[in-house]
Every structure is written in C-alpha cells, then in structure tokens.
Amino acid sequence: MGTNGNAQATNARLNPPTRLTGAEILWATLAGEGVDTVFGYPGGAILPAYDALRKFPIRHVLVRHEQCAAHMADGYARASGKVGVAIATSGPGATNLVTGIATAMLDSVPIVCITGNVSSKVLGTDAFQEVDITGITLPVTKHNFLVNKTDDFAQAIRHAFQIARCGRPGPVLVDITKDAQQGSAIFDFEAAKPRAYRPHPMLRVEESGLDQAAELIRNAKRPVILAGHGVMESGAMEQVRALAERAQIPVGLTLLGLGGFPASHPLSLGMMGMHGEAWVNHAIQESDLLIACGMRFDDRVTGTLSSYALKAKKIHIEIDPAEVNKNVKVDVALVGDLRQVLEDLLPRVSGRDGSAWLKTIEASKGVVAVRDIKNLPDSGHLYAAHVMHDLWRITGGDAVVVTDVGQHQMWEAQYFHHEKPRTLITSGGLGTMGFALPAAIGVKFACPEKDVWVVAGDGGFQMTAAELATIVQEKLKINIAIINNGYLGMVRQWQEFFYERNYEATPLVSPDFVKLADAHGIPGRTVRTRAEVAEAVNQARSAPGAFLLNFLVEKEESVYPMIPAGSALHEMIRRPGRWGKDPLEESADE
Amino acid sequence: MLHTFVAYVEDLPGVLTRVASLFRRLNININSLTVGRSERAGLSRLTLVCEASAEAGHRIRASLFKLENIVDVDDIAQAPAVTRELALIKVAATPQNRSQLFDLVEVFRARIVDLTSESLIIEMTGVESKIEGLLEILREDEGRILEICRSGKMTMRRGHHLSSVLRAMGAGETETVEPGGNETQEEGLPSALE
Ligand SMILES: Cc1ncc(C[n+]2csc(CCOP(=O)(O)OP(=O)(O)O)c2C)c(N)n1
Ligand SMILES: [Mg+2]
C-alpha cells in the first residue's frame, strides 16, 4: 500500500481509451490518480460501483460508520500529504459523512468523498434514500459535483483531486447517480485531465513587500515566528527553520503547527494560545514583530483581538487571500505559498543578535517549570500529563500520535514533544470528538511502518469505538491509550472555572474498555499508577497486533494554563497551589 | 458602505446558490443581484450589490474567487463606472388621467410599453436615483402604483478596462474593445433634469 501515492499511475490496461461502465470508470480514474486505498460503506445507490471494485487494484476498507470513513481519509491525508478517499451510499450514508467533511474543511485537509445518489430520472423527487448532498455539503467543501452522466465521471473525479490538493487544500465531494454508474462511456484518462490549476488571482508577493518584511525583521527587538499548519501543507519546515536560525527568532506553534518546527530546537517555544505555555503567550504579547507563517489567527490562539499583541508589527505569510486581515490587521501581507515566499525572503534576511530577547524568554520558562505537574513528586495519583510525558519518552517521540478532542488533546500537545511534521494528527478547527480512532486507521494505512498511537478521552472514544472492529478486520497494529477521567473533562473544566462547578451532564459512565477491546479480540490492560505506565506502554508496543491501554487518571484535573474565552492572551488561569504570586506575571506588569 | 462586485461565473446549475450561500455564510445581506449572459460563451456575468464594512470588500472578493465556478471578480469600489437599473412600473390609469402620465414619462425619458383601459406599464432605465425620482412623483397619487419590478443594478466600468484574469484568458486579443465611451447620462445629474 501507499507506494505509488497520488502520483498518477497510468494503468496500461486502460490505454488506449476503452468503453467502460461508469462504475469501472470511477475506480479506473481513482487508480489513475494514484489511489490504492479507499474507506467506505456500501448501499443501494453505490452498489454498481462496489460490484466493479474487484477488477481494480484498490483496497477497500469497510468502516463501521461513514463519519469514520471521512475521518480515515482525513487521517490518511494528514499523515501522507496525499489525497484521502471516502465512499458512501446516498441518503444516510452521505449525511453521515458530513461531520468528517467539515473536520477536513476546517483544517484544510485534502480528501475526496464519493457518494452514490438515486438515478437521475428520479433526482429531486424525494426518492428512497435521496438527499441533496451537494446542497448539504456546499458550505463545508471546497467544491462539490453532482454527476449524472457517465461521460462526465472521469473529468469530475480528476477535477475533484486537483481542487482538493491545490492551493489551500480541502475536501471535495463527488455525488454520482446510480444510472450513471450503470451506463457506459469511453474512458480516456488523459483526455479527462482538468485544465491547468489556476492559482487564486489575488496571490501577491511583491518585491517591496519582501523588502519591507526584511526591514521589519532587521529592526525588530522582540520578534516571534508563529508557525501553523501551513508549514506542513507547504512543506516549508526547512525554510522556517532557516529563517529562525539566521535571524535568531523564537518560534511559537499553533496546535496544528506542532511538528513543523522541532520541539527540541533551542528556538522552539512550544504551543501558543488558549492552553499554550505561559512564556509563549507572554512573548507574543510583549513582541514587537510577529511573523505569521501559514496560520490564520484563530480565536483559540489570539484570545481577545482587541488586546492581542498590540506592540507588534505583523507580517502574514499565507496562501489564502481571504485570511489576510480577517482577524488581525497586518502590516505586511505576503500572500503566496509559504515555502516559496520564505525562499524569496531568506536572501534578504541577514544574521542578527537575538540574545537579549531570547534570554528574557528563557528566564520566564524557568519560572514556569516549577509549576509543571511533571516536576511534582509522585503523589501516587496518575495524571494524564505523566502518561503523555512517559509515552513521549518511551517512544523516543518516534510515533504518530492521533488525538481526540478534549483535555487529553491539550496534554498531548503540552507533554509529547513533536520533532517532525505529520507526527501529531488532531482535529483543531472543528474540534471533532470521535476523530482519533478512525483517523488513526487512515494514518496506519498511510504509514504502516510507523508506531501509531491513539490518544482519546473516555468520552470521545465512545463516539466512534465501533471502529475497533475495523482495526481487527483490517489486522492493523494500532496502540490505543484512553485517558479515562470519568468526565467529559474539558467541559467539566469549563464548568469548574466558569459555571460554579455545576457538573451538569459531564460525569460519564463508561464500559470496561479492556473488556470492550477483548470482545473485539484486542488485548488490553488498565493502568492505575505512574509506576506502571512505562511497562504498559512497552507491552502495547511489543504486542503483535492492536493493544488498548485504559489509563485511569485523576478525575478532576484541569489543563493549565488556560486563557478564558474572551480574555487577553496574557490573562491566564494558572495552576493553583503553593506558588504564591507568579513572578512571571509580576514581571509582565512592570 | 455599499459594495458593488461584477463577476464572471460559469453558466452551470447551482452556481448562483454558491454565490448566495457565501454571502449567507458571511452574514452579509445582498441588496441586489442581476445575472445574465456575457460576451463570453459559457460565462454569465453578474452584478452584486451589498452593504458591508469598507474592509470587508477584500475578503468578499477573495472568498468569491475561492468558489470554483467563479472566473473573475471585480470590486468596482470607487472606480469610474456606469450603473443602470431597469424598472417596470404598472400604474392605474384611466383614459381621463392618462395624458398626465404621458407627460411625466416624457420628462423622465421613460417609455410606455403596455396600455390598457385601466392601466399602463412604464419602462424606465437609469441610475437608481432617477428611478426613485419617478416613483416619488407617481406615489403622490395614493394607490396609483399597482406593481413595481426592478432589475437591480448592472454595472460596467468606464473605459478600456480588462482584468488580469480576463487578459490571462486571452481576452482583448481577438475582440476589439472601444476605448472610452460615449455615455451621455451622468450619475450625478439630478434625474429629472437630464
Ligand atoms: C462531537 C463533539 N461534541 C461535543 C464536543 C464538545 N466537547 C469538547 S471537549 C469535550 C469533552 C471530551 O471528553 P473526553 O473525550 O472524555 O476527553 P477529556 O476532555 O476528558 O480528556 C466535549 C464534550 C466536541 N468537541 N465534539
Ligand atoms: Mg474524559
């Protein structure tokens, strides 16, 4: 699997042009686009396509819910950089995809979803299992197609791939009617090639802008690079690093940017934003120049806009012109592919001495470290932070971690230090619970040789736990860590801080996850103390197949620091305890 | 402020939904939208007028360009342009008071395109203020206006203007576009005095 990627494999059998059924054209086109794995679920309106599948070198992974097919395609795409493919039937099959499509949309992930639809003769008549899925998905796709002529299949699908992967990537849906799958047409892969991709006409990187950016960098005293998902999408890791090193600029990362700059690098500040490290957020607030690289100033990283980085000039390097000046007004906009822009910018940037600013930041790191839970003596309680820290240590960071959404997601981001791109797969923009398990399946197909870990909460895991069966059916080696705190923890935390501890609808009764795994034929074990963590992680890693670890962690622990929604970036809630007044905050007041 | 966008869109089913859906998502009300065939085969041209903050113009245009079926988007902003609207106005008119309406139509350089014993239809083309001017006079007699149908604004830049997008499509090479224009109606002129 995954050998020819989306590099377009020309299938000798289909050259010269041949008459095929629509169903055959579907698979032949996918194969031609380099697809070797699809994630799907059959039903009446897509049955002709399934009937033709056996003639093509494509592996179909049977999911347990179509939402998960989209998440798998998404995980596959995030891990590989290639286009992931999900397939579903009409009506409920199609609507089940929607959450997965929206998840991919918000995080700019290239996936193509194929749905069957009722025959063109009855389109629009509320026929059995008919829904207007192109209408439903219009705002959550980059584009979608309704194809009801066999002749149009190959072109629509090829066009869908082009749209999904070009510019700012995203999901595309192709809805194909049943009769068009059954009809036939001449298949000519080459002739179905879409016209050359047209970059967004408002991309603009002017010489003067580059000069201005270089000038701002030269004169900055307290610059910070903000690196986002675009670093990965554009493949600009080296260029970001070169800029940081040459001009001695520290790098803060968004959640989706983690891995885009090595965590161990002396210039790495770690994650910014709502649950970012205090020193990163303080550095941003104190900064006199922000260089935003492939990030979109999401509200989770800015806090209240009216108080965001008021002392800083801003350079925004971004591929989507609609993101420029959307949330934060910038001084220099370089609207283009990040990697290319940085390559053009780098020759203009010369070495500068950043030591004073770096020293200031370094000093504040030391202060924060004493608050860190992992530096506290072992109280006998198991904390998720310990689990993440140990998981990172034991895997040597050499794993792909796929997280769900909630507290455990933030602890992973804080305590698992990502060195390489595409080693943290997580739903950032939509924050979709239930993402981790199915996305990890997609990841495993994209990189079978990698150590793949699911890190999920007890709540989110139950949203898509049925995919355990898919793991077994596909014989996948995936390690699963459930951070079991008996609560919808992140919501409980909000209730603790902002709703007077009114824990309404957040305590959670769960099945015995080890028994649940066992019912699927997946071994597992429950872990209660920190002393057991290392051994359990190693046991999971060395198990021949999938393995589930059920970590019973401290129930009412919260993620710190936290910026309450609507507060400024420096107004953090800090871990309560015996620290007294935070010296960092005192120094920031000066 | 009022923004006016002129766009070339592919003439395919559902394209208008995509445009309209974008404005819905941005929570911007569309004041008027006119669509029709353009000089290019397979492309429709639309003029869209909406109310949004001054800074919103950039994001709206950029977002429109992200729609796959949109070929070109021009933000008219303050550029010199000709803007016209068509109105059909059905007015109650008896043989006794018709002649008064005939005079009015003459003054406004409008036309009468339908005439029956009880009513007539006035066709009027012009800038919005001119149409408003006629309507204002007609409203002096309560109950006289029976129906109003307005096309919404259509806008075209003055002079030889070709966007880089259309130029890239080979426009302007084969077609000859007359520079300048011989527009006589000026936007600023008081409507009735033209
Ligand atoms: C599909 C979906 N529904 C609701 C939410 C709101 N939400 C965000 S975090 C969270 C709690 C997650 O609980 P759990 O999976 O146990 O993780 P924990 O926070 O306890 O680590 C909820 C309900 C969401 N993000 N996604
Ligand atoms: Mg939980």
Side-chain angles (χ1 to χ4, degrees):
Chain A
M1 69 189 85
T3 45
N4 54 11
N6 290 135
Q8 288 154 12
T10 18
N11 195 326
R13 282 185 304 139
L14 301 167
N15 225 347
T18 324
R19 178 162 288 275
L20 297 180
T21 67
E24 291 166 339
I25 291 173
L26 165 67
W27 298 113
T29 311
L30 290 177
E33 288 289 341
V35 174
D36 51 26
T37 310
V38 300
F39 308 93
Y41 208 90
I46 194 73
L47 214 41
Y50 273 85
D51 190 47
L53 174 58
R54 69 194 147 81
K55 301 176 200 159
F56 296 86
I58 290 180
R59 178 164 176 180
H60 178 272
V61 177
L62 178 66
V63 304
R64 295 302 181 270
H65 188 293
E66 290 87 350
Q67 178 187 338
C68 299
H71 288 329
M72 286 179 207
D74 179 324
Y76 180 92
R78 291 187 205 229
S80 65
K82 298 183 282 184
V83 179
V85 179
I87 180 161
T89 191
S90 65
T95 54
N96 272 352
L97 287 172
V98 173
T99 300
I101 295 173
T103 304
M105 183 70 176
L106 270 277
D107 287 347
S108 311
V109 181
I111 65 172
V112 168
C113 294
I114 311 280
T115 49
N117 207 336
V118 298
S119 283
S120 53
K121 290 170 287 292
V122 294
L123 268 182
T125 65
D126 296 331
F128 178 64
Q129 291 194 332
E130 182 192 0
V131 294
D132 173 14
I133 196 63
T134 46
I136 290 172
T137 58
L138 191 145
V140 291
T141 49
K142 256 186 103 175
H143 190 62
N144 60 27
F145 298 86
L146 168 60
V147 189
N148 54 21
K149 286 197 214 71
T150 313
D151 283 326
D152 299 341
F153 264 31
Q155 233 219 305
I157 293 163
R158 294 204 64 181
H159 197 180
F161 272 78
Q162 183 191 55
I163 295 169
R165 58 162 85 95
C166 289
R168 179 178 178 176
V172 182
L173 179 133
V174 186
D175 193 27
I176 53 182
T177 60
K178 187 168 184 178
D179 55 334
Q181 295 168 48
Q182 289 160 328
S184 73
I186 300 292
F187 175 64
D188 185 343
F189 186 77
E190 274 315 306
K193 188 174 171 177
R195 60 168 186 253
Y197 170 72
R198 185 194 70 174
H200 195 295
M202 289 164 74
L203 298 184
R204 197 140 297 145
V205 183
E206 277 156 4
E207 296 283 317
S208 60
L210 291 165
D211 290 339
Q212 234 178 310
E215 175 77 18
L216 286 174
I217 292 171
R218 191 172 317 119
N219 296 330
K221 297 263 181 307
R222 301 182 303 279
V224 180
I225 291 172
L226 309 177
H229 197 199
V231 176
M232 256 73 89
E233 302 274 16
S234 162
M237 286 74 66
E238 284 311 311
Q239 289 72 14
V240 169
R241 187 175 173 153
L243 176 65
E245 287 177 352
R246 184 170 311 168
Q248 287 298 297
I249 306 174
V251 181
L253 297 146
T254 68
L255 175 65
L256 291 193
L258 293 176
F261 189 78
S264 64
H265 195 287
L267 289 168
S268 172
L269 296 180
M271 184 172 72
M272 62 177 105
M274 183 173 269
H275 294 293
E277 303 294 357
W279 63 79
V280 199
N281 291 336
H282 277 298
I284 292 170
Q285 291 298 72
E286 291 299 312
S287 166
D288 64 354
L289 177 66
L290 297 180
I291 307 161
C293 298
M295 57 84 76
R296 59 187 173 94
F297 293 104
D298 179 79
D299 54 78
R300 283 296 187 270
V301 307
T302 60
T304 297
L305 289 171
S306 57
S307 56
Y308 179 70
L310 299 178
K311 301 169 192 163
K313 297 253 187 233
K314 286 130 194 146
I315 300 170
H316 197 182
I317 311 175
E318 164 63 45
I319 196 163
D320 182 352
E323 292 294 348
V324 177
N325 290 325
K326 183 178 88 174
N327 298 334
V328 171
K329 191 116 186 56
V330 299
D331 300 277
V332 179
L334 300 170
V335 191
D337 176 62
L338 177 62
R339 180 179 173 149
Q340 189 57 52
V341 173
L342 287 178
E343 264 168 15
D344 294 341
L345 179 63
L346 276 166
R348 295 162 210 250
V349 176
S350 44
R352 53 179 280 290
D353 176 17
S355 56
W357 172 230
L358 293 175
K359 249 187 232 128
T360 311
I361 298 176
E362 202 52 43
S364 61
K365 275 191 190 177
V367 170
V368 173
V370 300
R371 288 172 173 276
D372 195 326
I373 188 156
K374 72 175 195 286
N375 296 332
L376 300 182
D378 189 346
S379 62
H381 293 256
L382 183 60
Y383 287 92
H386 295 153
V387 178
M388 288 305 120
H389 181 71
D390 290 352
L391 182 62
W392 168 68
R393 248 182 346 101
I394 293 159
T395 57
D398 192 21
V400 182
V401 183
V402 189
T403 80
D404 218 79
V405 171
Q407 291 183 314
H408 63 279
Q409 180 188 31
M410 293 300 122
W411 282 316
E412 198 283 344
Q414 293 178 339
Y415 292 98
F416 195 108
H417 306 296
H418 291 273
E419 293 295 307
K420 296 198 198 112
R422 306 188 187 280
T423 59
L424 168 59
I425 309 291
T426 193
S427 165
L430 199 67
T432 309
M433 284 172 69
F435 174 79
L437 190 65
I441 293 174
V443 170
K444 192 67 189 180
F445 275 100
C447 36
E449 74 293 348
K450 291 261 173 69
D451 184 11
V452 177
W453 280 85
V454 170
V455 171
D458 41 347
F461 183 77
Q462 291 183 70
M463 283 200 170
T464 50
E467 300 302 330
L468 285 173
T470 309
I471 290 180
V472 174
Q473 183 163 354
E474 299 295 331
K475 303 188 176 61
L476 301 175
K477 165 68 182 151
I478 292 177
N479 301 314
I480 301 163
I482 298 178
I483 305 301
N484 189 344
N485 55 7
Y487 278 106
L488 299 175
M490 185 56 91
V491 179
R492 185 209 60 75
Q493 174 170 347
W494 283 56
Q495 290 170 329
E496 176 186 333
F497 291 175
F498 314 120
Y499 295 89
E500 293 158 340
R501 293 176 193 259
N502 177 18
Y503 293 160
E504 187 67 50
T506 43
L508 186 68
V509 173
S510 295
D512 180 331
F513 290 118
V514 174
K515 280 192 185 150
L516 181 69
D518 185 53
H520 290 84
I522 296 175
R525 93 180 239 194
T526 293
V527 182
R528 293 184 174 79
T529 62
R530 182 160 193 197
E532 297 168 78
V533 174
E535 192 213 327
V537 168
N538 279 324
Q539 186 183 358
R541 272 159 56 93
S542 53
F547 201 93
L548 183 145
L549 295 175
N550 178 28
F551 291 100
L552 299 184
V553 299
E554 186 67 22
K555 288 186 164 206
E556 296 194 17
E557 169 66 348
S558 290
V559 182
Y560 296 100
M562 177 181 191
I563 302 158
S567 296
L569 203 55
H570 56 275
E571 292 166 358
M572 282 166 276
I573 302 177
R574 309 299 302 276
R575 180 175 293 284
R578 48 190 169 71
W579 291 278
K581 189 150 167 55
D582 192 328
L584 190 77
E585 268 148 28
E586 277 165 31
S587 71
D589 289 341
E590 284 163 13
Chain B
M1 64 173 267
L2 272 190
H3 293 269
T4 303
F5 298 95
V6 170
Y8 283 85
V9 304
E10 287 179 294
D11 184 11
L12 295 171
V15 172
L16 212 49
T17 314
R18 294 175 194 276
V19 173
S21 177
L22 172 68
F23 283 84
R24 177 182 51 76
R25 195 154 53 83
L26 297 177
N27 193 23
I28 294 172
N29 188 38
I30 298 173
N31 292 24
S32 82
L33 173 60
T34 67
V35 197
R37 293 222 178 98
S38 72
E39 72 282 4
R40 268 154 237 283
L43 292 190
S44 301
R45 174 175 168 134
L46 61 85
T47 305
L48 189 150
V49 181
C50 65
E51 177 72 43
S53 68
E55 311 85 67
H58 169 86
R59 178 144 183 256
I60 294 171
R61 178 160 180 255
S63 303
L64 280 167
F65 263 128
K66 283 166 71 174
L67 299 179
E68 195 54 33
N69 302 114
I70 291 223
V71 174
D72 190 23
V73 187
D74 189 8
D75 182 353
I76 300 297
Q78 305 308 321
V82 177
T83 296
R84 291 293 176 271
E85 194 177 344
L86 169 68
L88 295 176
I89 308 158
K90 187 179 285 179
V91 183
T94 58
Q96 290 73 39
N97 63 10
R98 255 183 220 150
S99 60
Q100 184 204 348
L101 285 167
F102 288 175
D103 292 345
L104 190 62
V105 161
E106 186 68 20
V107 173
F108 276 88
R109 297 202 196 141
R111 296 201 299 157
I112 290 174
V113 291
D114 180 60
L115 185 59
T116 68
S117 54
E118 289 137 12
S119 69
L120 53 80
I121 297 178
I122 303 172
E123 175 199 309
M124 161 116 188
T125 310
V127 297
E128 189 180 21
S129 57
K130 200 173 139 187
I131 292 171
E132 289 296 341
L134 172 61
L135 288 173
E136 204 174 302
I137 307 279
L138 290 172
R139 284 194 184 109
E140 283 171 0
D141 266 341
E142 216 176 303
R144 185 151 65 169
I145 296 177
L146 301 175
E147 284 180 51
I148 301 173
C149 178
R150 296 174 68 162
S151 64
K153 288 179 190 167
M154 305 165 77
T155 297
M156 192 176 275
R157 279 185 188 249
R158 291 178 185 275
H160 184 167
H161 172 82
L162 204 50
S163 78
S164 55
V165 175
L166 295 181
R167 210 174 308 130
M169 290 172 68
E173 285 164 12
T174 46
E175 297 124 289
T176 44
V177 185
E178 288 295 320
N182 48 356
E183 269 302 324
T184 49
Q185 292 178 310
E186 283 301 327
E187 306 265 324
L189 279 184
S191 52
L193 299 178
E194 250 189 56

